Amino acid sequence: MIPDLDTLLQARERIRRQVHTTPVLTCRALNHISGAELYFKCENFQKVGAFKFRGASNAILSLDENQARAGVATHSSGNHAAAVALAARLRGIPAHIVMPETAPEIKKRAVQGYGAQITFCEPTIAAREQTLERILTETGATLVHPYNDHAVIAGQATAALELLEQLPQAPDFVLSPIGGGGLISGTALVVHYLAPNTKAVGSEPRLADDAARSFRSGEIQPPMPPKTIADGLLTCLGDKTFAIIREYVHDILTVSEKAIVTAMRMTWERMKIIIEPSSAVPLAAVLEHPDFFRGSRTAIILTGGNADLDNLPWLAADRLPDNST
Amino acid sequence: MIPDLDTLLQARERIRRQVHTTPVLTCRALNHISGAELYFKCENFQKVGAFKFRGASNAILSLDENQARAGVATHSSGNHAAAVALAARLRGIPAHIVMPETAPEIKKRAVQGYGAQITFCEPTIAAREQTLERILTETGATLVHPYNDHAVIAGQATAALELLEQLPQAPDFVLSPIGGGGLISGTALVVHYLAPNTKAVGSEPRLADDAARSFRSGEIQPPMPPKTIADGLLTCLGDKTFAIIREYVHDILTVSEKAIVTAMRMTWERMKIIIEPSSAVPLAAVLEHPDFFRGSRTAIILTGGNADLDNLPWLAADRLPDNST
């Protein structure tokens, strides 16, 4: 059953003691460039550097004592892995993370640093799922899915709950990226319940526009080949997130790789904050769809700040795929 | 006469309407690494991306109507130029900026974007000073010195005034970089007047340690060859800043280029904020002088965020000078 308002408010109380209340920043220069009044919810300052810590915290703090004792498990090589690892450590329970052996060293170290048990596997989806299945069977751990889980969705919704309290008035739009759809689902539910004149809008790289095509076709579309630099947005929707997105999301906009790089650099330069490529997708949408946003009050959820400081996309413009614009 | 407390408090009221009250951030990871309790005053989020806007604002808002009408002038290719240009625009008066013709395009455009009149000159100190002298004579403009000016020092002091209000209790140390000494002078006066148990400590690249040598020798030492990556800290002290520093600064610590790069990257990675190399010098001092800071509550003024995103120092480690460590 789709989480109701009480469920979202309970999630907020449940995780309040362990998540950061992240600031909302504004930037006159970006308002001027975009012709809109922009508010940036800085989940790049969240623990583990990403909003994912909210969903993982809610899922893990929702377990009863018996479930908790057996620990949690997931597969991820990204922010969700770190989020589950830290949330499990804070509850004092085991976390089992399945990662492809090809995952970047820095991500492996982050997860290990939080005390999680990593199981490496071949870098294929089949290998990841089989390995995870085996671990779940062997350990009795509870799966914490990165998005297709109502407790995770309710946790991600807490970013929008905070946001609405922090803004002087409800915005016209709340804009977030879409990967598996956990964040936009939670966000759309919050504005549906609490700010009915606010529209939740998703944004996606054109090179990974499965959610936009799912939204228009009414059927979940498979993921695309991993070509976008917004590597956090490659996964396809799940049945739980899609059910919410179909009903409560106003629209899904797509953007070019070039616009993502421009928006990322603009955020670094003008706001002096670090965001990862996936987090730049909403601002890219504002820049590429100016008629949609002009004159509006638009809140953007900056989803994470775990950028690779050794590989900045504007220093590697030749590596963008040919069909990127 | 050295600014008294009233002068500093008046500066704060004078500029309050046009400067940002910048946030103070903390970072558990950096506390853990340093063994100290660190508070970061984020002047990288200040207008023009640097604390320099405080001093320029105070100097320009202190002019009487007659002085103001003739405008202001300065020579700088850095943050002070942008600060004077914007503060003059906000007062609606002309700003004349002398810049070496070799200044980076991006800095020229920033200053022009604020509506200032740029006069280019040969890239020598003599040419800069002669050109500035000529402009002052021709226009009757008032010089806004980057640091050796009590109105500028009082403006920079407002960062520490805010900081003390924002902290739960007075810190053991307030740490800032030293270039010409405007910021550390203002900071040292504030803690002298309001937090007598707090020590103001300066920090400097070892490759530009003229202030540390001035402090120890009792005589202003000339600037060093421009070798450090902390290019905001090359200037030597002035008589007004040195008089304050001698009396009210507790100590000046020096750091290696390697520590500056490490501290800069650590701030980007752990705090998800952009700081320029000069701003990383205080954290570098904490890392290189652990016995000095261990167990202390230390506030660091992050002076600016105008980093060159096309030339990150950790991607050019081979370009550090040989004697950098």
Side-chain angles (χ1 to χ4, degrees):
Chain A
M1 213 180 65
I2 288 177
D4 59 16
L5 178 58
D6 264 0
T7 303
L8 305 186
L9 296 173
Q10 282 160 18
R12 181 147 189 234
E13 288 314 307
R14 189 175 292 121
I15 69 175
R16 192 190 283 276
R17 64 180 177 274
Q18 77 179 31
V19 303
H20 288 320
T21 299
T22 56
V24 175
L25 299 183
T26 59
C27 176
R28 214 169 299 192
L30 292 182
N31 286 350
H32 183 75
I33 290 166
S34 67
E37 199 176 307
L38 303 177
Y39 296 88
F40 296 88
K41 175 68 173 163
C42 291
E43 289 296 300
N44 54 328
F45 295 160
Q46 189 50 264
K47 288 187 189 170
V48 315
F51 76 95
K52 294 278 187 182
F53 184 63
R54 294 178 181 270
S57 290
N58 190 48
I60 288 172
L61 289 171
S62 297
L63 300 176
D64 66 31
E65 283 304 316
N66 273 335
Q67 292 172 312
R69 207 166 299 125
V72 290
T74 196
H75 67 76
S76 162
S77 57
N79 291 330
H80 179 64
V84 168
L86 177 57
R89 190 183 73 175
L90 291 175
R91 182 148 183 193
I93 65 173
H96 305 274
I97 313 286
V98 176
M99 285 181 119
E101 53 205 14
T102 53
E105 269 310 310
I106 189 169
K107 304 237 164 170
K108 295 178 190 170
R109 279 202 304 274
V111 169
Q112 276 162 340
Y114 293 127
Q117 184 70 41
I118 303 184
T119 306
F120 294 105
C121 68
E122 301 280 312
T124 66
I125 297 208
R128 277 159 71 139
E129 288 180 348
Q130 280 163 23
T131 311
L132 179 60
E133 207 48 61
R134 180 172 57 74
I135 286 171
L136 291 171
T137 308
E138 284 174 11
T139 63
T142 301
L143 170 65
V144 181
H145 194 277
Y147 50 89
N148 204 39
D149 174 322
H150 284 145
V152 170
I153 292 169
Q156 318 304 27
T158 63
L161 286 175
E162 273 181 28
L163 173 70
L164 289 182
E165 283 180 12
Q166 290 169 306
L167 293 180
Q169 56 181 311
D172 300 307
F173 300 109
V174 181
L175 191 53
S176 89
I178 302 191
L183 178 63
I184 191 74
S185 297
T187 303
L189 290 176
V190 166
V191 303
H192 170 69
Y193 296 135
L194 295 177
N197 295 323
T198 300
K199 295 180 173 76
V201 176
S203 55
E204 225 181 13
R206 214 159 287 143
L207 291 181
D209 68 345
D210 58 284
R213 289 184 295 106
S214 304
F215 187 71
R216 298 195 205 301
S217 69
E219 305 267 346
I220 295 179
Q221 301 298 313
M224 315 264 294
K227 286 189 178 161
T228 175
I229 62 160
D231 57 355
L233 307 182
L234 292 169
T235 42
C236 61
L237 302 176
D239 62 329
K240 294 190 176 63
T241 54
F242 187 49
I244 297 170
I245 287 167
R246 288 182 75 166
E247 182 128 12
Y248 299 107
V249 167
H250 173 70
D251 204 351
I252 299 177
L253 305 173
T254 63
V255 301
S256 69
E257 297 297 296
K258 200 172 156 208
I260 299 171
V261 176
T262 301
M264 180 176 167
R265 180 165 183 150
M266 217 175 248
T267 305
W268 287 39
E269 269 182 1
R270 305 289 183 149
M271 298 186 68
K272 312 299 182 192
I273 61 176
I274 308 258
I275 60 169
E276 59 193 64
S278 303
S279 295
V281 170
L283 179 59
V286 171
L287 298 174
E288 279 203 334
H289 303 269
D291 294 344
F292 192 103
F293 293 100
R294 191 172 293 118
S296 70
R297 289 191 314 283
T298 292
I300 285 176
I301 303 183
L302 294 176
T303 46
N306 295 317
D308 180 351
L309 298 180
D310 291 315
N311 289 293
L312 300 184
W314 49 85
L315 299 179
D318 52 318
R319 292 198 323 223
L320 289 180
D322 292 342
N323 54 343
S324 66
T325 51
Chain B
M1 212 181 63
I2 288 177
D4 58 14
L5 178 57
D6 265 0
T7 304
L8 305 186
L9 296 173
Q10 282 160 18
R12 179 143 193 235
E13 289 314 308
R14 190 176 293 120
I15 68 175
R16 193 190 282 276
R17 63 180 177 278
Q18 76 179 31
V19 303
H20 288 319
T21 300
T22 56
V24 175
L25 299 183
T26 60
C27 177
R28 213 169 301 191
L30 292 183
N31 286 351
H32 183 74
I33 290 166
S34 67
E37 200 176 307
L38 303 178
Y39 296 88
F40 296 88
K41 174 70 172 161
C42 290
E43 289 295 299
N44 53 330
F45 295 160
Q46 189 50 267
K47 288 186 189 171
V48 315
F51 76 95
K52 294 277 186 182
F53 184 64
R54 294 178 180 270
S57 290
N58 190 48
I60 288 173
L61 289 172
S62 296
L63 299 176
D64 66 31
E65 283 304 318
N66 274 335
Q67 293 172 312
R69 210 167 296 125
V72 290
T74 197
H75 68 74
S76 161
S77 57
N79 291 331
H80 179 63
V84 168
L86 178 58
R89 190 181 74 173
L90 291 175
R91 183 148 182 194
I93 65 174
H96 306 274
I97 313 286
V98 177
M99 285 181 118
E101 52 203 16
T102 52
E105 268 312 310
I106 189 168
K107 304 237 164 170
K108 296 178 190 169
R109 279 203 304 274
V111 170
Q112 276 161 341
Y114 294 128
Q117 185 70 40
I118 303 184
T119 305
F120 293 105
C121 68
E122 301 280 314
T124 66
I125 297 208
R128 277 159 70 140
E129 287 179 350
Q130 280 161 23
T131 311
L132 179 60
E133 209 48 60
R134 179 171 59 74
I135 286 172
L136 290 172
T137 309
E138 284 174 12
T139 62
T142 302
L143 170 65
V144 181
H145 194 278
Y147 51 87
N148 204 38
D149 174 321
H150 284 145
V152 171
I153 292 168
Q156 317 305 25
T158 63
L161 285 175
E162 272 180 31
L163 173 70
L164 289 182
E165 284 181 11
Q166 291 170 306
L167 293 179
Q169 56 181 313
D172 300 306
F173 301 108
V174 182
L175 190 54
S176 89
I178 301 192
L183 178 63
I184 191 76
S185 296
T187 304
L189 290 177
V190 166
V191 303
H192 170 68
Y193 296 135
L194 295 176
N197 295 322
T198 300
K199 296 181 172 76
V201 176
S203 55
E204 225 180 13
R206 212 158 289 144
L207 292 180
D209 68 346
D210 58 285
R213 288 183 297 106
S214 306
F215 187 71
R216 298 197 205 299
S217 69
E219 305 266 349
I220 295 179
Q221 301 298 313
M224 315 266 292
K227 285 188 177 161
T228 173
I229 61 159
D231 57 356
L233 307 181
L234 292 170
T235 41
C236 62
L237 301 176
D239 62 330
K240 294 191 176 64
T241 53
F242 187 49
I244 297 170
I245 288 167
R246 288 182 76 167
E247 183 127 12
Y248 299 107
V249 167
H250 172 71
D251 204 351
I252 299 178
L253 305 173
T254 63
V255 301
S256 69
E257 297 296 296
K258 201 172 154 209
I260 298 171
V261 176
T262 300
M264 180 176 167
R265 180 165 183 152
M266 218 175 248
T267 305
W268 288 38
E269 270 182 1
R270 304 290 184 147
M271 297 186 69
K272 312 300 181 192
I273 61 176
I274 308 259
I275 61 169
E276 59 194 61
S278 302
S279 295
V281 170
L283 179 59
V286 171
L287 298 175
E288 279 203 334
H289 302 269
D291 294 344
F292 193 103
F293 293 100
R294 190 172 295 118
S296 70
R297 289 191 315 283
T298 293
I300 285 176
I301 303 184
L302 294 176
T303 47
N306 295 318
D308 180 351
L309 298 181
D310 290 316
N311 288 294
L312 300 184
W314 49 85
L315 299 180
D318 52 319
R319 292 197 322 225
L320 289 180
D322 291 343
N323 53 344
S324 66
T325 50

